[in-house]
Amino acid sequence: MSENEMIICRCEEVTYRELVETAEKYGCSPRELKLRTRAGMGYCGGRTCRSAVDSIALSSTERDVSQITLKYQPPIRPISFSKLGGVENND
C-alpha cells in the first residue's frame, strides 16, 4: 500500500490522496475539507483523524495558521465493541 492510499479517516474510509487532492483542487479550509470528503464525520466524530485533516488542509493551501481548527465531539451514547460486533458478553 502506498502512502497515497493510506486511510486517514477509518470511519468514512477517506484516503490521504482524497484529502490532498480535494484540498488542492478547492483550496479548502479544514472545515470545508471535512464537509467535502466526510473525513471526521463517522462514528468516532473525528477523534482519530481531526489533526491529520487539519494539517493536510493547512499545508495544501495558503491560509492563515490562526484559523479555527475542527472540533470533535463524542458519540451521543457510548457503545462497546462487543455490541457493534454482535457478540454477547455472558460474564
Side-chain angles (χ1 to χ4, degrees):
M1 176 189 295
S2 72
E3 180 181 285
N4 288 330
E5 298 306 317
M6 181 175 46
I7 294 179
I8 300 296
C9 178
R10 295 178 297 185
C11 300
E12 295 293 327
E13 297 183 2
V14 180
T15 64
Y16 177 80
R17 177 192 319 226
E18 287 178 80
L19 290 168
V20 170
E21 287 176 355
T22 304
E24 289 175 352
K25 182 177 181 179
Y26 298 103
C28 296
S29 69
R31 177 164 169 67
E32 291 169 322
L33 187 58
K34 176 183 172 181
L35 294 173
R36 287 186 183 275
T37 62
R38 294 201 42 81
M41 299 177 101
Y43 292 116
C44 79
R47 279 195 214 135
T48 59
C49 63
R50 179 179 57 98
S51 59
V53 173
D54 274 345
S55 296
I56 292 168
L58 294 174
S59 68
S60 296
T61 60
E62 294 181 19
R63 297 266 180 165
D64 183 9
V65 197
S66 65
Q67 188 172 9
I68 298 171
T69 60
L70 294 175
K71 70 173 189 157
Y72 67 93
Q73 55 195 66
I76 296 172
R77 276 174 279 197
I79 187 166
S80 68
F81 284 113
S82 62
K83 287 184 181 178
L84 282 174
V87 178
E88 294 294 323
N89 190 0
N90 297 326
D91 287 336

